[in-house]
Every structure is written in C-alpha cells, then in structure tokens.
Amino acid sequence: MSDPQPFLLARGVCHTYPDGVAPLSNISLELPAGSFTALVGPSGVGKSTLLRILGGLLVPTEGEVLLKGTPPHLTPEPVGIVFQHDNLMPWRTAAENVRLPLELQGIRDGERIAALLQLVGLVGFENSYPAQLSGGMAQRVALARALVHRPELLLLDEPFGALDALTRERMREELLRVWNALPVTVFMVTHSIREAVLLADRVLVMTGYPGQITATVDVPLPRPRDLLMEGLPEFVACVRTVRDAIAAHSAEIVPER
Ligand SMILES: Nc1ncnc2c1ncn2[C@@H]1O[C@H](COP(=O)(O)OP(=O)(O)O)[C@@H](O)[C@H]1O
Ligand SMILES: [Mg+2]
C-alpha cells in the first residue's frame, strides 16, 4: 500500500445487489502495473462480483476503484475480460470472432488479428468455426478477442475452469507466454491453488460471507515460470501456505485441481 498512484486501486469496496445480496465486505487492493495477481477462495464469496467491479462492468455501491486514477466504468482504457465460457459467436470463424470488437468500432487491422492468433497459438485455425475447435482452442480465441483492443488490464474469471486437466496445464503455459509477451496487468480468479501459485506474483485469498481478503501470499518463484516448477520445494510450501490461509477462515473444502 505504498505506491502513490497504483495502476489499479480498490478502496473500501462493498456491493449490494438490488435483491439485497451483499457478498463483499470492505475490499481494498492494489495491482501494480504489469503484475499478475490471482484471487482464490470458495464459491460464492464474491470473487466474480469483485472482478466485474474491477473491470467496470459493475459499479460498487460503496468504496471506490481507480484504474490509472479514473473509475473503471468511466475510463477510456480498454479492459480485456475472459470468462469460464468462451461466449464465441458460433457463426463466425476464429478470426472473425477476434475481429468483432474492432469491427464494432469500425477499425480494420488484419495484421493485428493475425499477430494475436499467432500469439495464442492458433495459426492454421483462423478459419475454423467454434464448433470445430476444442475447448482449449476456443478459450484461446476468447483470450485473443479480449486482447484485441490492446488492454493494459486483463481480467480472467476461472478461464480454464471448464477444461480437462491436461488442456488446463497447457493453457497455463500459454497464458504465461502471452503475459510475458505483452505489457499487461493480469487479475485472475481461479479455483485452483496450484494454478494461482504457478502463474501469479501474489495470491489473494478471499473467504467468509461477506467475502474479505483474509490473506495475501507473495509467490517466491523466479520468472520465467514453467510447469516443472511445481516440483520445487518453494512451490509446494507456497501452495500449503495458501491452502492453510483458506482453511483458517473457511469451513468449506476448496476443490483442488
Ligand atoms: N447479479 C446478481 N444479483 C444478485 N446476487 C448475485 C448476483 N451475482 C452474484 N450474486 C450473489 O453474490 C454472491 C457472490 O457471487 P459471486 O461473486 O459470483 O461469487 P464467486 O465468484 O466467489 O463464486 C452469491 O451469493 C451470488 O448468488
Ligand atoms: Mg465466480
């Protein structure tokens, strides 16, 4: 809490939905520019609510969020978001899905689309339709689409949650590669403690109802990271720290993948 103007700042955030459900309690956090932060916690604590607030899709009823000094729902800064389900348009090819956000703004930039599809490893599948793609490939398209406006902030809400374990591992590596290649700040919600530790600089633990950030765990692993690091004692110790932090504040068992 020392940076005078952090890239993203949330202070005292609470939210009450119109039906009276109020899942968040006094959330404060800072995301340094270019950092990778993971948020873990049991279902229903308000992780997705917080993510939507950070992205400006939802305006909190209390507290403030500032993205480079401006509330995210008012900022001209593009924000990229990927959800668990790809939400691709089935009648558009991979390239056409990635292009859609630009089309809506009247921007034509074929080179940008091609570069993004290459970045996410989809060369050769540009003209495939979503039904012809595997789940992992469809999520790559969704990732490319989220990056097409060159956002400085990328929000990921359990993006690999619907994928099988092997595909999920591969996507973790892909995401590390993409993050290394781009100057983007990532905030990722995940149910997997191992995924959080492998990818992030810092893991936030959210527990309770209403949800609070009850622990912040710095990940001591060097960069660049790869899957083999899961065997390192530092990795194992960090996973245990996060798991203990969740258990200390929560009766619910968090599924581990
Ligand atoms: N649009 C909404 N209207 C009312 N309640 C909601 C809405 N979205 C989420 N909630 C409720 O807020 C709580 C937190 O949900 P959510 O943020 O999705 O948690 P998580 O992502 O941690 O599982 C849950 O009780 C959920 O039912
Ligand atoms: Mg959620």
Side-chain angles (χ1 to χ4, degrees):
M1 298 276 163
S2 53
D3 194 343
Q5 153 94 47
F7 173 72
L8 187 106
L9 167 76
R11 225 172 0 215
V13 169
C14 303
H15 189 70
T16 306
Y17 284 110
D19 61 3
V21 174
L24 299 179
S25 171
N26 198 26
I27 304 288
S28 295
L29 58 85
E30 289 183 8
L31 304 185
S35 61
F36 195 129
T37 303
L39 177 67
V40 298
S43 294
V45 288
K47 301 182 300 297
S48 295
T49 300
L50 177 60
L51 180 134
R52 290 205 299 273
I53 288 172
L54 298 184
L57 301 180
L58 196 60
V59 181
T61 50
E62 276 180 61
E64 68 173 347
V65 179
L66 297 174
L67 174 57
K68 292 169 84 175
T70 305
H73 66 288
L74 300 176
T75 181
E77 298 284 335
V79 175
I81 307 188
V82 179
F83 296 102
Q84 183 168 339
H85 297 288
D86 56 63
N87 296 321
L88 299 179
M89 297 202 166
W91 59 88
R92 298 181 72 114
T93 65
E96 288 167 351
N97 266 287
V98 176
R99 200 171 65 210
L100 180 64
L102 292 186
E103 257 174 52
L104 294 174
Q105 297 198 333
I107 301 171
R108 294 174 67 92
D109 190 343
E111 278 177 30
R112 192 188 312 189
I113 308 298
L116 269 174
L117 286 166
Q118 183 174 22
L119 179 66
V120 299
L122 280 176
V123 171
F125 295 92
E126 297 86 345
N127 299 318
S128 301
Y129 288 89
Q132 299 171 311
L133 299 173
S134 67
M137 284 174 167
Q139 277 307 72
R140 288 167 199 247
V141 178
L143 180 60
R145 183 183 54 186
L147 294 169
V148 79
H149 281 305
R150 299 180 174 143
E152 290 181 57
L153 177 61
L154 178 64
L155 303 173
L156 307 169
D157 194 350
E158 300 190 34
F160 312 142
L163 303 178
D164 65 84
L166 287 178
T167 306
R168 195 173 172 130
E169 289 210 329
R170 216 165 43 236
M171 293 300 289
R172 290 172 184 167
E173 283 194 313
E174 290 292 319
L175 180 59
L176 280 171
R177 207 170 46 71
V178 168
W179 178 68
N180 276 329
L182 299 174
V184 70
T185 303
V186 174
F187 181 82
M188 176 187 205
V189 171
T190 172
H191 263 100
S192 166
I193 299 170
R194 301 177 73 83
E195 183 167 285
V197 171
L198 181 72
L199 300 178
D201 302 315
R202 210 170 38 139
V203 180
L204 308 180
V205 173
M206 196 167 171
T207 54
Y209 192 87
Q212 287 179 295
I213 293 176
T214 42
T216 299
V217 179
D218 289 318
V219 179
L221 298 172
R223 304 240 183 227
R225 307 250 178 102
D226 60 55
L227 291 178
L228 292 177
M229 287 186 172
E230 295 202 359
L232 294 176
E234 301 92 297
F235 179 90
V236 176
C238 197
V239 166
R240 185 170 306 139
T241 304
V242 175
R243 188 177 295 137
D244 289 350
I246 296 172
H249 294 280
S250 158
E252 188 177 336
I253 293 167
V254 178
E256 178 53 89
R257 293 200 197 108

